[in-house]
Amino acid sequence: PFRVLFPGGARSEKGFLLSIESCELLKEKKELSLFIRSRIDKVSGPILTKRFESFDKTNINVIDQDLSDSDFIGMIQEADIIVIPYHSQAFRRRTSGILVDAVLLGKPVVVLNETWLSDIVDDQKTGVSVSADPESITKGVLEITQDYDSFIRNIEVARRSYLKANTWEALLRHVCLLTGDKRYELEAHRIAAADRRSAEIRVLDA
């Protein structure tokens, strides 16, 4: 089955209620295996806490432990589809690192309309953007399963484009362009790692 992950925190602006309601619908689909991250704390508030406690978690894998950076990446790697139901009120002018992780790790996503995330997803065709209701999220997940290989191909194009555009050299060039300062010279050394790309930068004052 397709492993569907809801990795966002237990916050209202990150669509935690939508995540719960969508899982309630999706768990009836035998072709799916569901995972929801749910670190309930004081910031979550009583409404989310009570809703999660009353939530029938049968056939749903709950991830409620603290995760290290490597554990979080591992969680994304093991999924097939990522659902990021972040609301437009909070994410119209901001994006999420999870979206970048999903592209770099080759995972199609479902996001909500009228967010910065949906602008990116719609442009790159790395997933689908849907209305902010559990029925639409369910349809979005199923749409991806029905044409999964096409989304994977689009993600590979987006991944290569992202890695080409987001380098230390590109960052330094942009900073120099903004400041008009031409005194700096870049020397970047890329280090291959098992599942990460890292770089060292040395800025020399001319």
Side-chain angles (χ1 to χ4, degrees):
F2 288 93
R3 296 166 64 96
V4 181
L5 172 66
F6 293 77
R11 302 287 184 270
S12 58
E13 71 273 13
K14 293 188 174 182
F16 189 62
L17 283 178
L18 268 180
S19 295
I20 292 174
E21 294 167 351
S22 299
C23 282
E24 289 174 330
L25 295 179
L26 288 165
K27 72 177 184 177
E28 304 300 327
K29 309 296 182 182
K30 295 182 179 180
E31 68 271 30
L32 304 177
S33 180
L34 303 180
F35 296 79
I36 183 171
R37 183 166 173 247
S38 61
R39 288 295 291 137
I40 300 290
D41 55 28
K42 292 181 180 179
V43 181
S44 302
I47 294 177
L48 294 185
T49 301
K50 184 176 180 179
R51 183 67 176 87
F52 180 73
E53 290 174 349
S54 63
F55 169 39
D56 181 4
K57 304 170 189 65
T58 305
N59 297 326
I60 296 173
N61 300 279
V62 176
I63 304 169
D64 58 5
Q65 70 269 29
D66 290 325
L67 300 175
S68 65
D69 288 346
S70 60
D71 289 337
F72 188 87
I73 293 299
M75 178 182 68
I76 302 293
Q77 285 177 319
E78 292 175 1
D80 297 306
I81 299 170
I82 312 295
V83 183
I84 316 172
Y86 293 5
H87 287 289
S88 61
Q89 297 94 322
F91 286 86
R92 176 62 270 188
R93 298 188 181 279
R94 55 187 280 216
T95 185
S96 167
I98 296 178
L99 182 60
V100 176
D101 291 337
V103 169
L104 294 180
L105 295 172
K107 311 299 177 178
V109 298
V110 177
V111 299
L112 299 188
N113 291 331
E114 299 181 359
T115 60
W116 195 354
L117 288 78
S118 68
D119 293 344
I120 297 171
V121 169
D122 290 344
D123 179 61
Q124 299 178 340
K125 295 179 173 54
T126 53
V128 296
S129 56
V130 301
S131 299
D133 62 79
E135 293 79 12
S136 295
I137 290 175
T138 297
K139 291 179 181 178
V141 169
L142 295 178
E143 180 181 340
I144 291 176
T145 65
Q146 291 162 6
D147 198 15
Y148 194 77
D149 290 344
S150 292
F151 286 104
I152 293 299
R153 288 193 293 270
N154 293 340
I155 291 170
E156 178 58 22
V157 173
R159 187 185 72 84
R160 291 179 181 177
S161 176
Y162 180 90
L163 291 174
K164 183 178 180 180
N166 293 273
T167 64
W168 287 113
E169 183 177 3
L171 174 62
L172 189 60
R173 283 178 179 174
H174 188 62
V175 171
C176 291
L177 180 64
L178 290 175
T179 62
D181 196 332
K182 299 180 180 179
R183 294 178 304 160
Y184 300 106
E185 165 185 340
L186 176 70
E187 186 179 287
H189 303 283
R190 290 174 177 78
I191 303 172
D195 49 14
R196 285 188 184 226
R197 293 183 180 219
S198 60
E200 291 180 343
I201 184 171
R202 186 175 73 211
V203 179
L204 303 177
D205 196 340

